[in-house]
Amino acid sequence: MQSLCGFSSSLGALFGFAISGLLVPSMGSQGALGLLSIPSALVLSAGILLKENRAAEFDYKQVHKKFYKAIQCMGTTLKCPEVWRPCVYMFVSHNLCLDIQGGMFYWYTDSVVGPGFSEGSIGLIYAIGSVGSLLGVLLYQSALKDYPFRSILLWGQVLSSLAGMLDLVLVTRVNLKIGIPDYFFAMIDNSISQMVGRLKWLPLLVLCSKLCSPGIEGTFYALLMSLQNAGLLMSAWWGGLLLHMLNVTRMEFSNLWIAVLIRNISRLVPLTLLFLVPQSDQNSTLLPAEMLQDGESTEAVKAGSVEFSVLVQDGSGFVSPNMVAEDEHTKMFDAENDDVESIPLVNKSGPIFDS
């Protein structure tokens, strides 16, 4: 399912970047933004025009009880070491992946120091990068979905750092020295980066789904996604701070290569916390057995002992229709002789074995 979602996301990004690369040169930036606002306006209009009947008697107290119960369940789940340890790794992994894409974008469009790509060229570069993302999803689904979490995340971080070195080659213009044009090298760079990013992202999504406790799956999964988004937001802050400290602006790029190098090194730092991720494969259960038990079953076990009644069965495995339970005895009627045989239904003193 995660692979299907990733495939759909990459396919949508492919069409989006391809269309934007064609619309911006022909319609301008304002025309393209106006065209993209039409679907949002249609959704807003549908929300205003559709009429819904309000519930006459809505039990707000029951909603509050369920809300507090969900909070308690999430707190109990987060206290479990099998849950909070991978959460710490995921947050740190996203947090230390510094986002300096703003500086790279200005360098892409600079015609003096950078390659001077146009809007259409940048849209096509990102569209080709989405093809790399699609390849990453297919590669994960076909060959990597059964590998242990720790192994695939290890290689994901290492490959992410190595893929970032392609940006360093592009910024230092080494690609021109070896005869590779900027446009072609930028497409290769973006494709490999998107593919590696998808290979790194999908195992984390699977890991999040494995950490959700029964009964609060949707709420807890949303909490884990919020945690990852917070890490990505902080990575953008750290990246902006790094560019500011190195005096990288939309016109000054002399220290951009230092920012790229620091970003690539920072991607290896989360490997020091890789021991927090379970070694088990992606198909195994990570939560403890007691957290996976159904709530009703747990209450039934805590309620006390349960009496089990042994019924006499016929050869077919069903209770005979000539048997009637009365006063803790089973009376079996013989249809021909009208004889009645009384058999104990429950023996509370202990089991009886016939020799």
Side-chain angles (χ1 to χ4, degrees):
M1 182 58 70
Q2 299 295 347
S3 299
L4 179 60
C5 294
F7 183 84
S8 302
S9 175
S10 302
L11 191 62
L14 172 62
F15 285 108
F17 285 125
I19 293 175
S20 65
L22 298 176
L23 291 179
V24 172
S26 59
M27 301 178 59
S29 58
Q30 293 182 352
L33 291 175
L35 184 63
L36 292 176
S37 65
I38 294 178
S40 301
L42 293 176
V43 174
L44 180 62
S45 301
I48 296 175
L49 297 177
L50 289 178
K51 295 182 179 180
E52 295 181 342
N53 297 326
R54 299 186 62 180
E57 297 180 358
F58 191 77
D59 192 358
Y60 289 98
K61 294 183 179 180
Q62 188 68 20
V63 174
H64 293 162
K65 290 181 180 179
K66 291 183 179 180
F67 178 73
Y68 292 135
K69 184 178 180 181
I71 292 179
Q72 292 176 356
C73 292
M74 286 192 295
T76 303
T77 305
L78 286 175
K79 292 178 182 178
C80 180
E82 288 83 356
V83 176
W84 68 260
R85 289 161 61 94
C87 290
V88 171
Y89 173 80
M90 287 187 290
F91 178 76
V92 174
S93 175
H94 290 297
N95 192 5
L96 294 181
C97 185
L98 305 182
D99 185 5
I100 58 172
Q101 193 60 33
M104 291 296 300
F105 178 81
Y106 285 122
W107 183 82
Y108 276 158
T109 57
D110 189 89
S111 58
V112 179
V113 181
F117 294 144
S118 62
E119 295 88 346
S121 299
I122 293 178
L124 184 58
I125 289 173
Y126 287 148
I128 299 300
S130 300
V131 175
S133 180
L134 287 172
L135 294 178
V137 173
L138 296 177
L139 179 61
Y140 173 81
Q141 179 64 25
S142 60
L144 302 176
K145 64 179 181 179
D146 296 326
Y147 276 74
F149 282 110
R150 193 176 296 179
S151 299
I152 193 170
L153 291 178
L154 168 64
W155 287 108
Q157 290 292 143
V158 173
L159 292 177
S160 178
S161 179
L162 294 178
M165 292 299 177
L166 295 177
D167 286 337
L168 186 62
V169 173
L170 186 62
V171 170
T172 55
R173 315 313 298 272
V174 176
N175 60 295
L176 296 179
K177 297 179 181 179
I178 59 179
I180 302 178
D182 289 333
Y183 189 70
F184 183 71
F185 192 84
M187 288 192 294
I188 297 176
D189 178 16
N190 201 265
S191 300
I192 295 177
S193 298
Q194 291 290 333
M195 181 179 65
V196 173
R198 188 62 68 177
L199 292 176
K200 175 187 172 183
W201 178 260
L202 286 174
L204 292 177
L205 295 181
V206 176
L207 180 60
C208 289
S209 65
K210 295 291 184 179
L211 299 179
C212 296
S213 179
I216 55 170
E217 293 91 342
T219 305
F220 199 76
Y221 191 81
L223 177 64
L224 295 179
M225 290 297 101
S226 300
L227 183 66
Q228 295 196 36
N229 290 331
L232 292 174
L233 180 61
M234 293 190 67
S235 71
W237 291 346
W238 295 127
L241 180 61
L242 177 63
L243 293 176
H244 177 72
M245 293 176 61
L246 295 176
N247 195 27
V248 177
T249 63
R250 63 175 61 191
M251 301 297 295
E252 176 62 36
F253 305 101
S254 58
N255 293 328
L256 181 60
W257 69 273
I258 301 178
V260 174
L261 183 61
I262 294 176
R263 181 202 63 182
N264 297 337
I265 296 175
S266 67
R267 290 178 176 178
L268 297 176
V269 176
L271 294 179
T272 58
L273 299 177
L274 194 60
F275 66 93
L276 298 175
V277 179
Q279 181 62 28
S280 57
D281 62 89
Q282 301 180 53
N283 298 318
S284 60
T285 302
L286 302 182
L287 295 178
E290 57 270 13
M291 295 185 63
L292 298 176
Q293 292 178 354
D294 185 72
E296 295 180 359
S297 300
T298 305
E299 293 179 359
V301 172
K302 294 180 179 179
S305 59
V306 180
E307 293 184 352
F308 296 92
S309 300
V310 180
L311 299 179
V312 179
Q313 300 178 347
D314 58 10
S316 62
F318 296 95
V319 179
S320 174
N322 294 328
M323 299 174 60
V324 179
E326 180 180 357
D327 295 333
E328 297 183 350
H329 286 73
T330 299
K331 293 183 178 181
M332 180 177 292
F333 295 88
D334 191 337
E336 296 180 356
N337 302 325
D338 293 334
D339 294 335
V340 179
E341 181 181 2
S342 180
I343 303 175
L345 181 62
V346 178
N347 189 353
K348 296 184 178 180
S349 61
I352 297 177
F353 300 95
D354 294 332
S355 57

